[in-house]
Amino acid sequence: MKGTSSINKSIVKVLSVFTSLQVVNVICGMVKMKFVSIWLEASGVGLFGIFQQVTDTTATLTDFGLRQSTTREVAMKRNDGRLLGRLLGTIRSWNLLVGIFGGVLLTFLSPLLSSLFFESSAFWWSFVLLGVCILFNAMTAGENSILQGLSRFKELARAGLIASLTGLAVSIPLFRFLGNNSVIFSLLAYAVAAWISIRRFRPRDIEAESPSPALLKEGKDFAKLGGYMALAAFISSLALTIFIWWLNHYASTSEVGYYQAGNTLVVRYMGFVLSAIGLEFYPRIAACGDSSMRRSVYVSHEMSLTLTILTPLVLLFLVARPWLVELLYTPEFDVIIPFITFGILHTIFRVPSVIMAYTIVSQGNGLVYLIVESLDSMFGLAVCIAGYTLYGLSGLGVSFIIWYAGYLALTWIVAGIKYDVRVKRGGVAALIVSVAVTFASAALVCTAPAYIYIPVLLLAVVPYALRLKTLLGKGRRRKRR
């Protein structure tokens, strides 16, 4: 029981620090997309989706998965001051190398990508600037992994906050005066701001070696694991890129904009909770070693607590979804409401599946992780294309549910068979209750008027709020003692 309380305290501390600051980042993102939807309309939102997806795909192809694999290395060696300084120099050397490689590759492919996405070579310069973004993003990712592995979550969150505020301040006038050309300069502004801000919070108490070619030889082990992870991430990102390309040609750039707007609401904005979970959970699960019992306890507890946090957020989202669309976008984006109504339900499956995925990768078996992620990416691409073809944007929301339910089943089976992870009764019960509550709530909002479903959903939030209050209260009482 003492161990459980300690875990509660650790998780709640990270969530309270990182999530509160991350909320500001989310608001900045909302403000940004509001200006984009007003001044650049759906085509501008679509350009953001295309450029961001190309950037993510190229980065995952070239970064060797260093963010996750180096976090694992730092977490395992953070108490060894003699090795840590050299490790930090090694990490920075590798991230500088992969950043340069990614930037050069995207520059080389810029004419082809311009023709592929826009049927014209006129946008080649945009992809060249995306290559510069990749260089800054790679160096930023290296510093992020160091801070995460050292469990310095306040510094990590504050750096992200400063980057978001700076990027937003630079981007707004760009949107107003440069039209659609402002999209690429906005992405560049965010990349540079992130690098400058993360440098302010680099660990000054650790004497790290400077990046050098000699240090590259010492990173072969985490680069090998990261290589598997990078390939898995590339396949996943490639699948999303293929879907956006298909949607752009099958429908239109505006339809890509609607998809991007809905995806931002149900995946990116709700994903900040999952980001906070990963920051705290991944280093902890990586330190379990070969203890399957500890892994099972951590996984079960993490699943139960995070579903307790996320389920009321889903209910509140279902209540507020029309106002969110009205606040963030223009009236033409009302077509995404059915998409986000169904799509938000995928988060209930996404929480435990991500926890299982972290458990798999924390064991250092890159090949198993690659197979799992590749199967998931192919399945997700197939169901999204089928869902949109059959039922349009509404079908995409249902596809998200099917996709992540399948991902949960796959990761649950692999973690159980390969690493002997057994989810305890509390974790299973939390999942079943969350699925029942959220699905019933979605059915209610689709069939009942607002004056009925709004009070019902708000009442359903109360038990979860009381549960969270109890957990937080235990943490505070234990701290006073």
Side-chain angles (χ1 to χ4, degrees):
M1 188 68 183
K2 182 179 179 181
T4 301
S5 299
S6 178
I7 295 173
N8 277 342
K9 183 179 178 181
S10 176
I11 295 173
V12 171
K13 180 181 179 182
V14 173
L15 287 176
S16 62
V17 171
F18 186 81
T19 304
S20 60
L21 293 173
Q22 192 77 345
V23 166
V24 180
N25 294 341
V26 169
I27 294 173
C28 289
M30 291 178 176
V31 173
K32 178 184 73 174
M33 296 314 296
K34 181 67 174 181
F35 282 110
V36 170
S37 65
I38 293 174
W39 287 331
L40 308 184
E41 301 180 339
S43 61
V45 180
L47 284 174
F48 260 106
I50 291 172
F51 286 145
Q52 189 63 59
Q53 193 57 52
V54 170
T55 302
D56 292 344
T57 302
T58 306
T60 52
L61 174 64
T62 60
D63 70 359
F64 290 92
L66 294 180
R67 173 64 194 269
Q68 300 291 354
S69 61
T70 54
T71 296
R72 179 175 180 268
E73 289 293 318
V74 174
M76 295 172 64
K77 297 178 181 178
R78 60 187 175 189
N79 294 322
D80 191 333
R82 184 178 60 86
L83 297 177
L84 188 58
R86 192 165 182 83
L87 175 61
L88 299 194
T90 304
I91 291 172
R92 288 165 181 158
S93 299
W94 272 93
N95 277 277
L96 179 61
L97 175 66
V98 300
I100 294 174
F101 176 56
V104 171
L105 177 64
L106 198 53
T107 300
F108 177 76
L109 295 176
S110 58
L112 175 63
L113 292 171
S114 179
S115 299
L116 180 64
F117 281 97
F118 302 105
E119 299 180 352
S120 168
S121 60
F123 288 86
W124 65 270
W125 61 272
S126 298
F127 292 98
V128 172
L129 290 180
L130 282 183
V132 180
C133 293
I134 286 178
L135 173 60
F136 282 104
N137 290 342
M139 294 188 294
T140 301
E143 300 302 325
N144 286 340
S145 67
I146 291 171
L147 290 176
Q148 182 182 355
L150 295 173
S151 296
R152 300 187 181 184
F153 304 119
K154 289 184 179 180
E155 292 88 341
L156 188 59
R158 287 171 180 168
L161 173 63
I162 293 173
S164 292
L165 292 173
T166 305
L168 178 63
V170 174
S171 295
I172 290 177
L174 295 177
F175 298 148
R176 182 64 182 90
F177 297 109
L178 296 183
N180 283 342
N181 288 334
S182 64
V183 172
I184 182 61
F185 291 108
S186 173
L187 292 172
L188 182 60
Y190 273 90
V192 175
W195 165 237
I196 293 174
S197 62
I198 198 68
R199 282 183 61 86
R200 291 185 56 189
F201 294 96
R202 295 172 72 171
R204 308 295 181 185
D205 56 326
I206 300 173
E207 188 176 348
E209 297 193 19
S210 300
S212 67
L215 290 176
L216 294 174
K217 298 180 181 179
E218 301 185 15
K220 291 181 179 179
D221 290 339
F222 64 69
K224 181 179 179 181
L225 171 61
Y228 281 112
M229 298 174 67
L231 184 56
F234 170 72
I235 292 172
S236 176
S237 189
L238 179 62
L240 290 176
T241 303
I242 291 173
F243 176 73
I244 290 177
W245 172 84
W246 173 84
L247 185 61
N248 191 44
H249 285 72
Y250 182 84
S252 65
T253 302
S254 294
E255 199 74 356
V256 174
Y258 295 138
Y259 162 76
Q260 186 67 22
N263 186 69
T264 298
L265 283 172
V266 301
V267 176
R268 291 186 182 272
Y269 289 161
M270 293 298 289
F272 74 86
V273 176
L274 294 175
S275 298
I277 292 168
L279 282 171
E280 187 275 336
F281 180 69
Y282 179 49
R284 179 156 52 86
I285 198 71
C288 285
D290 296 326
S291 175
S292 61
M293 181 178 296
R294 290 180 67 194
R295 283 196 297 270
S296 297
V297 170
Y298 284 165
V299 167
S300 302
H301 184 269
E302 195 82 16
M303 187 182 300
S304 177
L305 182 59
T306 51
L307 284 172
T308 302
I309 295 170
L310 192 62
T311 301
L313 293 180
V314 172
L315 298 182
L316 293 174
F317 180 91
L318 289 172
V319 170
R321 73 201 193 289
W323 299 306
L324 287 174
V325 173
E326 182 180 352
L327 174 66
L328 299 176
Y329 304 106
T330 57
E332 66 174 312
F333 283 85
D334 286 347
V335 296
I336 71 173
I337 290 179
F339 169 31
I340 64 177
T341 299
F342 297 117
I344 193 63
L345 302 180
H346 90 279
T347 57
I348 301 302
F349 296 113
R350 189 180 176 195
V351 165
S353 62
V354 168
I355 291 171
M356 290 295 187
Y358 275 123
T359 303
I360 293 171
V361 75
S362 69
Q363 300 308 301
N365 194 329
L367 182 59
V368 172
Y369 182 76
L370 173 62
I371 293 172
V372 169
E373 294 298 305
S374 299
L375 291 174
D376 170 64
S377 298
M378 291 185 289
F379 178 67
L381 176 62
V383 297
C384 284
I385 291 177
Y388 184 83
T389 302
L390 293 174
Y391 303 108
L393 291 172
S394 299
L396 271 180
V398 177
S399 297
F400 275 33
I401 299 173
I402 298 172
W403 179 5
Y404 278 90
Y407 185 41
L408 173 59
L410 179 61
T411 54
W412 197 306
I413 291 171
V414 171
I417 294 176
K418 184 69 176 177
Y419 303 111
D420 197 29
V421 174
R422 300 289 181 263
V423 181
K424 306 300 181 183
R425 189 175 303 172
V428 175
L431 176 60
I432 293 173
V433 171
S434 293
V435 170
V437 169
T438 54
F439 277 62
S441 299
L444 184 63
V445 301
C446 291
T447 57
Y451 66 84
I452 292 179
Y453 74 73
I454 289 178
V456 172
L457 266 60
L458 292 178
L459 285 174
V461 170
V462 173
Y464 287 96
L466 294 175
R467 170 64 175 161
L468 287 174
K469 183 179 179 181
T470 301
L471 293 174
L472 291 171
K474 287 181 178 180
R476 287 193 294 265
R477 287 194 297 271
R478 184 171 295 276
K479 183 176 181 179
R480 286 197 296 267
R481 292 172 189 171

